[in-house]
Amino acid sequence: KAGVTQTPRYLIKTRGQQVTLSCSPISGHRSVSWYQQTPGQGLQFLFEYFSETQRNKGNFPGRFSGRQFSNSRSEMNVSTLELGDSALYLCASSNGLAGRIYNEQFFGPGTRLTVL
Amino acid sequence: AQKVTQAQTEISVVEKEDVTLDCVYETRDTTYYLFWYKQPPSGELVFLIRRNSFDEQNEISGRYSWNFQKSTSSFNFTITASQVVDSAVYFCALSPDTGTASKLTFGTGTRLQVTL
């Protein structure tokens, strides 16, 4: 079974630009979550999607948005990039209803975004 | 509010040594889940264990063992006879029983370096 895939793996952008990151969950998984990982703030929850609906959103500004498609693939978008958005963005998928926490999350390798 | 503390920022050991990674948590929930994840240099978070707060039995899986002590709010992780492949950042995480990914709180991680 293929794991969670994220594209692209690496990305370099400049301040003010926007970026779209993609996540393909494990086949059959309907729940996708996104996390931002930075040296200063650690791992922080961004969004959680289940069946194309955003179930929860973390404490991030409106520049961060996301969506989930009918095939469970998910994208996240960051507009008007700032230097502080440089981070590893991790996507995770899980099975079961509404991605309850007792269902194991499987993480992708992440997209490393560098904002210059 | 939930909090996970991993006081050890970095640990260096020589191969075959045993090493214990500490995790102390705070929560007001009566039922909750605790997790350990491994993040190798490739970036993805690898699930190691999930423990329900009702189950205080220690667990052993190969060279890995976990000591859950509710009385001290600790969930420590021991690697016996460490190997170079164990080099990674290890995260402890906590979630309420009713939580989804949005409620998962990670510690700051412990970087383990195993040398020959």
Side-chain angles (χ1 to χ4, degrees):
Chain A
K1 210 177 198 182
V4 177
T5 58
Q6 292 186 247
T7 56
R9 292 293 311 278
Y10 302 91
L11 206 49
I12 299 175
K13 292 285 187 178
T14 56
R15 278 183 302 174
Q17 287 187 309
Q18 76 165 17
V19 66
T20 299
L21 312 182
S22 180
C23 171
S24 292
I26 291 173
S27 177
H29 285 191
R30 295 162 66 188
S31 176
V32 173
S33 300
W34 289 88
Y35 297 84
Q36 181 197 63
Q37 185 177 21
T38 59
Q41 299 297 319
L43 276 155
Q44 293 185 287
F45 169 78
L46 275 161
F47 319 101
E48 180 182 20
Y49 289 91
F50 182 79
S51 292
E52 301 179 65
T53 301
Q54 186 179 93
R55 300 291 170 143
N56 289 289
K57 183 176 179 181
N59 189 23
F60 280 83
R63 299 184 297 105
F64 290 81
S65 62
R67 59 179 175 169
Q68 187 181 32
F69 301 95
S70 57
N71 62 358
S72 294
R73 190 177 70 85
S74 178
E75 288 182 348
M76 67 164 282
N77 184 279
V78 187
S79 61
T80 320
L81 284 166
E82 300 177 359
L83 296 179
D85 298 332
S86 295
L88 179 67
Y89 290 89
L90 292 164
C91 166
S93 75
S94 68
N95 204 351
L97 294 175
R100 294 295 291 274
I101 198 62
Y102 45 74
N103 295 311
E104 179 183 340
Q105 288 197 96
F106 294 84
F107 284 81
T111 293
R112 186 164 296 281
L113 172 65
T114 302
V115 182
L116 302 176
Chain B
Q2 298 182 141
K3 186 178 179 182
V4 176
T5 301
Q6 294 181 256
Q8 304 152 308
T9 306
E10 192 161 345
I11 300 176
S12 292
V13 299
V14 176
E15 201 176 41
K16 296 183 184 176
E17 281 186 21
D18 298 347
V19 58
T20 295
L21 310 182
D22 298 332
C23 173
V24 174
Y25 62 92
E26 295 175 31
T27 180
R28 292 181 180 177
D29 296 299
T30 53
T31 58
Y32 48 89
Y33 283 90
L34 291 160
F35 302 78
W36 274 96
Y37 286 89
K38 172 183 179 180
Q39 187 175 40
S42 51
E44 77 278 17
L45 284 170
V46 178
F47 169 86
L48 295 178
I49 190 172
R50 175 184 62 241
R51 171 67 67 205
N52 183 288
S53 55
F54 284 124
D55 183 2
E56 288 193 66
Q57 256 191 326
N58 291 331
E59 180 157 339
I60 297 175
S61 176
R63 296 183 298 106
Y64 295 169
S65 63
W66 291 269
N67 183 358
F68 176 32
Q69 291 198 340
K70 218 168 174 178
S71 60
T72 56
S73 296
S74 65
F75 187 42
N76 296 337
F77 172 32
T78 297
I79 301 175
T80 303
S82 59
Q83 300 176 0
V84 173
V85 293
D86 296 327
S87 297
V89 181
Y90 291 84
F91 291 92
C92 180
L94 165 70
S95 171
D97 181 32
T98 55
T100 63
S102 62
K103 301 296 185 186
L104 194 59
T105 300
F106 287 91
T108 51
T110 297
R111 182 178 299 276
L112 174 64
Q113 184 72 39
V114 183
T115 56
L116 293 171

